[in-house]
Coordinates of all heavy atoms in Angstrom, one line a residue:
K117 N -6.8 -17.1 6.4 CA -7.6 -16.0 5.8 C -6.8 -14.8 5.4 O -5.8 -14.5 6.1 CB -8.7 -15.6 6.9 CG -9.7 -16.6 7.1 CD -10.9 -15.9 7.8 CE -12.0 -16.9 7.9 NZ -13.2 -16.3 8.4
R118 N -7.2 -14.2 4.3 CA -6.5 -13.0 3.8 C -7.3 -11.8 4.4 O -8.4 -11.8 4.6 CB -6.6 -13.0 2.3 CG -5.9 -14.0 1.6 CD -6.1 -14.0 0.1 NE -5.6 -15.2 -0.6 CZ -4.9 -15.1 -1.6 NH1 -4.6 -14.0 -2.3 NH2 -4.4 -16.2 -2.2
R119 N -6.4 -10.8 4.6 CA -7.0 -9.5 5.0 C -7.8 -8.9 3.9 O -7.4 -9.0 2.7 CB -5.8 -8.6 5.4 CG -5.7 -8.4 6.9 CD -4.6 -7.4 7.1 NE -4.8 -6.2 6.3 CZ -4.0 -5.2 6.3 NH1 -2.9 -5.2 7.1 NH2 -4.1 -4.1 5.5
S120 N -8.8 -8.2 4.3 CA -9.6 -7.5 3.2 C -8.6 -6.4 2.7 O -7.8 -5.8 3.4 CB -10.9 -6.9 3.8 OG -10.6 -6.0 4.7
L121 N -8.9 -6.0 1.4 CA -8.1 -5.0 0.8 C -8.7 -3.6 1.0 O -9.9 -3.5 1.0 CB -8.0 -5.3 -0.7 CG -7.4 -6.6 -1.1 CD1 -7.5 -6.7 -2.7 CD2 -5.9 -6.6 -0.7
Q122 N -7.9 -2.6 1.0 CA -8.4 -1.2 1.0 C -9.1 -1.0 -0.5 O -8.6 -1.6 -1.5 CB -7.3 -0.2 1.1 CG -6.7 -0.3 2.5 CD -7.6 0.1 3.6 OE1 -8.3 1.2 3.4 NE2 -7.6 -0.6 4.7
E123 N -10.1 -0.2 -0.6 CA -10.8 -0.1 -1.9 C -9.9 0.4 -3.0 O -9.9 -0.2 -4.1 CB -12.0 0.9 -1.7 CG -12.8 1.0 -2.9 CD -13.9 1.9 -2.9 OE1 -14.0 2.9 -2.0 OE2 -14.9 1.7 -3.6
P124 N -9.0 1.4 -2.8 CA -8.1 1.7 -4.0 C -7.2 0.5 -4.5 O -7.1 0.3 -5.7 CB -7.2 2.8 -3.4 CG -8.0 3.5 -2.3 CD -8.8 2.3 -1.7
T125 N -6.8 -0.3 -3.5 CA -6.0 -1.4 -3.9 C -6.8 -2.5 -4.7 O -6.4 -2.9 -5.7 CB -5.3 -2.1 -2.7 OG1 -4.6 -1.1 -2.0 CG2 -4.5 -3.3 -3.0
S126 N -8.0 -2.8 -4.2 CA -8.8 -3.8 -5.0 C -9.2 -3.2 -6.3 O -9.3 -3.9 -7.3 CB -10.0 -4.2 -4.1 OG -10.9 -3.1 -3.9
L127 N -9.4 -1.9 -6.4 CA -9.8 -1.3 -7.7 C -8.6 -1.3 -8.7 O -8.8 -1.5 -9.8 CB -10.3 0.1 -7.5 CG -11.7 0.2 -6.9 CD1 -12.0 1.7 -6.5 CD2 -12.7 -0.3 -7.7
I128 N -7.4 -1.2 -8.2 CA -6.2 -1.2 -9.0 C -6.1 -2.6 -9.6 O -5.8 -2.8 -10.8 CB -4.9 -0.7 -8.3 CG1 -5.0 0.7 -8.0 CG2 -3.7 -1.1 -9.1 CD1 -4.0 1.3 -7.1
L129 N -6.2 -3.6 -8.7 CA -6.1 -5.0 -9.1 C -7.2 -5.3 -10.2 O -6.9 -5.9 -11.2 CB -6.2 -6.0 -7.9 CG -5.1 -6.0 -6.9 CD1 -5.4 -6.9 -5.8 CD2 -3.8 -6.3 -7.6
C130 N -8.4 -4.9 -9.9 CA -9.5 -5.0 -10.9 C -9.2 -4.3 -12.2 O -9.4 -4.9 -13.2 CB -10.8 -4.4 -10.2 SG -12.2 -4.8 -11.2
A131 N -8.6 -3.2 -12.2 CA -8.3 -2.5 -13.3 C -7.3 -3.2 -14.3 O -7.3 -3.0 -15.5 CB -7.7 -1.0 -13.1
V132 N -6.4 -4.0 -13.7 CA -5.4 -4.7 -14.6 C -5.7 -6.2 -14.7 O -5.0 -6.9 -15.3 CB -4.0 -4.5 -14.0 CG1 -3.5 -3.1 -14.0 CG2 -3.8 -5.1 -12.6
A133 N -6.9 -6.6 -14.3 CA -7.3 -8.0 -14.3 C -7.6 -8.5 -15.7 O -7.3 -9.6 -16.0 CB -8.5 -8.2 -13.4
D134 N -8.2 -7.6 -16.5 CA -8.6 -8.0 -17.9 C -7.5 -7.8 -18.9 O -7.5 -8.4 -20.0 CB -9.9 -7.5 -18.2 CG -9.9 -5.9 -18.3 OD1 -9.0 -5.3 -17.6 OD2 -10.8 -5.3 -18.9
Q135 N -6.7 -6.8 -18.7 CA -5.6 -6.5 -19.6 C -4.6 -5.6 -18.9 O -4.8 -4.9 -18.0 CB -6.1 -5.7 -20.8 CG -6.6 -4.4 -20.6 CD -7.2 -3.8 -21.9 OE1 -7.9 -4.4 -22.6 NE2 -6.8 -2.5 -22.1
P136 N -3.3 -5.7 -19.4 CA -2.2 -4.8 -18.8 C -2.6 -3.3 -19.1 O -3.1 -3.0 -20.1 CB -1.0 -5.2 -19.6 CG -1.3 -6.6 -20.1 CD -2.8 -6.7 -20.3
R137 N -2.2 -2.5 -18.2 CA -2.5 -1.1 -18.3 C -1.3 -0.2 -17.7 O -0.7 -0.7 -16.7 CB -3.8 -0.6 -17.6 CG -5.0 -1.1 -18.3 CD -6.3 -0.5 -17.7 NE -7.4 -0.7 -18.6 CZ -8.2 -1.8 -18.6 NH1 -7.9 -2.8 -17.8 NH2 -9.2 -2.0 -19.5
H138 N -1.1 1.0 -18.3 CA -0.1 1.9 -17.7 C -0.8 2.7 -16.7 O -2.1 2.7 -16.5 CB 0.6 2.7 -18.8 CG -0.4 3.5 -19.6 ND1 -0.9 4.7 -19.2 CD2 -0.8 3.2 -20.9 CE1 -1.6 5.1 -20.2 NE2 -1.6 4.2 -21.2
G139 N 0.0 3.5 -15.9 CA -0.5 4.3 -14.8 C -1.7 5.1 -15.2 O -2.8 5.1 -14.4
Y140 N -1.7 6.0 -16.2 CA -2.8 6.9 -16.5 C -4.1 6.0 -16.8 O -5.1 6.3 -16.4 CB -2.5 7.8 -17.6 CG -3.6 8.8 -17.9 CD1 -4.0 9.8 -17.1 CD2 -4.4 8.5 -19.1 CE1 -5.1 10.6 -17.4 CE2 -5.5 9.4 -19.4 CZ -5.8 10.4 -18.6 OH -6.8 11.2 -18.9
A141 N -3.8 5.0 -17.5 CA -5.0 4.1 -18.0 C -5.6 3.5 -16.7 O -6.8 3.2 -16.6 CB -4.5 3.1 -19.0
I142 N -4.8 3.1 -15.7 CA -5.2 2.6 -14.5 C -6.2 3.6 -13.8 O -7.2 3.2 -13.3 CB -4.1 2.0 -13.6 CG1 -3.4 0.8 -14.2 CG2 -4.6 1.7 -12.2 CD1 -2.1 0.5 -13.5
T143 N -5.7 4.8 -13.7 CA -6.5 5.8 -12.9 C -7.9 6.0 -13.7 O -8.9 6.2 -13.0 CB -5.7 7.2 -12.9 OG1 -5.6 7.7 -14.2 CG2 -4.5 7.0 -12.1
Q144 N -7.8 6.0 -15.0 CA -9.1 6.1 -15.7 C -10.0 4.9 -15.6 O -11.2 5.1 -15.4 CB -8.8 6.4 -17.2 CG -8.0 7.7 -17.5 CD -8.7 8.9 -16.9 OE1 -9.9 9.2 -17.3 NE2 -8.1 9.5 -16.0
E145 N -9.4 3.8 -15.5 CA -10.2 2.5 -15.3 C -10.8 2.5 -13.9 O -12.0 2.1 -13.7 CB -9.3 1.3 -15.6 CG -10.1 0.1 -15.8 CD -11.0 0.0 -17.1 OE1 -10.9 0.9 -18.0 OE2 -11.9 -0.9 -17.1
V146 N -10.0 2.9 -13.0 CA -10.5 2.9 -11.6 C -11.7 3.9 -11.5 O -12.7 3.6 -10.8 CB -9.4 3.3 -10.5 CG1 -9.9 3.8 -9.2 CG2 -8.4 2.1 -10.5
K147 N -11.5 5.0 -12.1 CA -12.7 6.0 -12.0 C -13.9 5.4 -12.7 O -15.0 5.5 -12.2 CB -12.2 7.3 -12.8 CG -13.2 8.4 -12.7 CD -12.7 9.7 -13.4 CE -12.0 10.5 -12.5 NZ -11.6 11.8 -13.1
K148 N -13.7 4.7 -13.8 CA -14.8 4.1 -14.5 C -15.4 3.0 -13.7 O -16.7 2.9 -13.5 CB -14.3 3.5 -15.8 CG -15.4 2.8 -16.7 CD -14.8 2.3 -17.9 CE -15.7 1.4 -18.7 NZ -15.0 0.8 -19.8
I149 N -14.6 2.1 -13.1 CA -15.1 0.9 -12.3 C -15.9 1.4 -11.1 O -16.9 0.9 -10.7 CB -13.9 0.1 -11.8 CG1 -13.3 -0.7 -13.0 CG2 -14.4 -0.9 -10.7 CD1 -11.9 -1.3 -12.6
S150 N -15.4 2.5 -10.4 CA -16.1 3.1 -9.2 C -17.2 4.1 -9.5 O -17.7 4.7 -8.6 CB -15.0 3.7 -8.3 OG -14.5 4.9 -9.0
D151 N -17.5 4.2 -10.8 CA -18.6 5.1 -11.2 C -18.2 6.6 -10.7 O -19.1 7.3 -10.3 CB -19.9 4.7 -10.7 CG -21.0 5.3 -11.4 OD1 -20.8 5.7 -12.7 OD2 -22.2 5.5 -10.9
G152 N -16.9 6.9 -10.8 CA -16.5 8.2 -10.5 C -16.2 8.5 -9.0 O -15.8 9.6 -8.7
R153 N -16.5 7.5 -8.1 CA -16.3 7.7 -6.7 C -14.9 7.8 -6.3 O -14.6 8.5 -5.3 CB -17.0 6.6 -5.9 CG -18.5 6.6 -5.8 CD -18.9 5.4 -4.9 NE -18.3 4.2 -5.3 CZ -17.4 3.5 -4.7 NH1 -16.8 4.0 -3.6 NH2 -16.9 2.3 -5.1
V154 N -14.0 7.1 -7.0 CA -12.6 7.1 -6.6 C -11.7 7.6 -7.7 O -11.8 7.2 -8.8 CB -12.1 5.6 -6.3 CG1 -10.6 5.5 -5.9 CG2 -13.0 5.0 -5.2
T155 N -11.0 8.7 -7.4 CA -10.0 9.3 -8.2 C -8.6 9.1 -7.6 O -8.5 9.7 -6.5 CB -10.4 10.8 -8.5 OG1 -11.7 10.9 -9.0 CG2 -9.4 11.4 -9.4
L156 N -7.8 8.4 -8.2 CA -6.4 8.2 -7.6 C -5.5 9.3 -8.0 O -5.4 9.6 -9.2 CB -5.9 6.8 -8.2 CG -6.6 5.6 -7.8 CD1 -6.0 4.4 -8.5 CD2 -6.5 5.3 -6.3
R157 N -4.9 9.8 -7.0 CA -3.8 10.8 -7.3 C -2.5 10.1 -7.7 O -2.4 8.9 -7.3 CB -3.5 11.6 -6.0 CG -4.7 12.5 -5.6 CD -4.5 13.4 -4.5 NE -5.6 14.2 -4.2 CZ -5.6 15.2 -3.3 NH1 -4.6 15.3 -2.5 NH2 -6.7 15.9 -3.2
T158 N -1.7 10.8 -8.3 CA -0.5 10.2 -8.8 C 0.4 9.5 -7.7 O 0.8 8.3 -7.9 CB 0.4 11.2 -9.6 OG1 -0.5 11.8 -10.6 CG2 1.6 10.6 -10.2
G159 N 0.6 10.2 -6.6 CA 1.4 9.6 -5.5 C 0.7 8.3 -4.9 O 1.4 7.4 -4.6
T160 N -0.6 8.4 -4.8 CA -1.3 7.3 -4.2 C -1.2 6.1 -5.2 O -0.9 4.9 -4.8 CB -2.8 7.6 -4.0 OG1 -2.9 8.7 -3.2 CG2 -3.6 6.4 -3.5
L161 N -1.4 6.3 -6.5 CA -1.2 5.3 -7.5 C 0.1 4.6 -7.5 O 0.2 3.4 -7.4 CB -1.6 5.8 -8.9 CG -1.3 4.8 -10.0 CD1 -2.4 3.6 -9.9 CD2 -1.4 5.5 -11.3
Y162 N 1.1 5.4 -7.6 CA 2.5 4.8 -7.8 C 3.0 4.2 -6.4 O 3.7 3.2 -6.5 CB 3.4 5.8 -8.4 CG 3.1 6.0 -9.9 CD1 2.4 7.0 -10.3 CD2 3.4 4.9 -10.7 CE1 2.0 7.1 -11.7 CE2 3.1 5.0 -12.1 CZ 2.4 6.1 -12.5 OH 2.1 6.1 -13.9
S163 N 2.6 4.7 -5.3 CA 3.0 4.0 -4.1 C 2.2 2.7 -3.9 O 2.8 1.7 -3.5 CB 2.8 4.8 -2.8 OG 1.4 5.2 -2.7
A164 N 1.0 2.6 -4.4 CA 0.2 1.4 -4.4 C 0.8 0.4 -5.4 O 0.9 -0.8 -5.0 CB -1.3 1.6 -4.6
L165 N 1.1 0.9 -6.6 CA 1.8 0.0 -7.6 C 3.1 -0.6 -7.0 O 3.3 -1.8 -7.2 CB 2.0 0.7 -8.9 CG 0.7 1.1 -9.7 CD1 1.1 2.0 -10.9 CD2 0.0 -0.2 -10.1
Q166 N 3.9 0.2 -6.4 CA 5.1 -0.3 -5.9 C 4.9 -1.4 -4.8 O 5.5 -2.4 -4.8 CB 5.9 0.9 -5.3 CG 7.4 0.5 -4.8 CD 8.2 -0.1 -6.0 OE1 8.2 0.4 -7.1 NE2 8.9 -1.2 -5.7
R167 N 3.9 -1.1 -4.0 CA 3.6 -2.1 -2.9 C 3.1 -3.4 -3.5 O 3.5 -4.5 -3.1 CB 2.6 -1.5 -1.9 CG 2.3 -2.3 -0.7 CD 1.4 -1.6 0.3 NE 0.1 -1.2 -0.3 CZ -0.3 0.0 -0.6 NH1 0.6 1.0 -0.4 NH2 -1.4 0.3 -1.2
L168 N 2.2 -3.3 -4.5 CA 1.7 -4.4 -5.2 C 2.8 -5.3 -5.9 O 2.7 -6.5 -6.0 CB 0.5 -4.1 -6.1 CG -0.8 -3.6 -5.4 CD1 -1.7 -2.9 -6.5 CD2 -1.4 -4.7 -4.7

Side-chain angles (χ1 to χ4, degrees):
K117 285 192 173 187
R118 295 176 189 226
R119 253 183 50 180
S120 61
L121 299 176
Q122 295 293 320
E123 186 177 26
T125 303
S126 64
L127 289 170
I128 290 168
L129 291 177
C130 190
V132 298
D134 60 341
Q135 68 182 45
R137 289 188 166 84
H138 57 79
Y140 180 75
I142 292 170
T143 63
Q144 295 307 297
E145 195 66 16
V146 164
K147 188 179 268 188
K148 179 180 169 187
I149 293 166
S150 70
D151 199 26
R153 285 182 310 100
V154 177
T155 301
L156 295 175
R157 293 184 176 184
T158 303
T160 302
L161 172 67
Y162 286 101
S163 63
L165 289 172
Q166 186 59 43
R167 188 174 57 254
L168 290 167

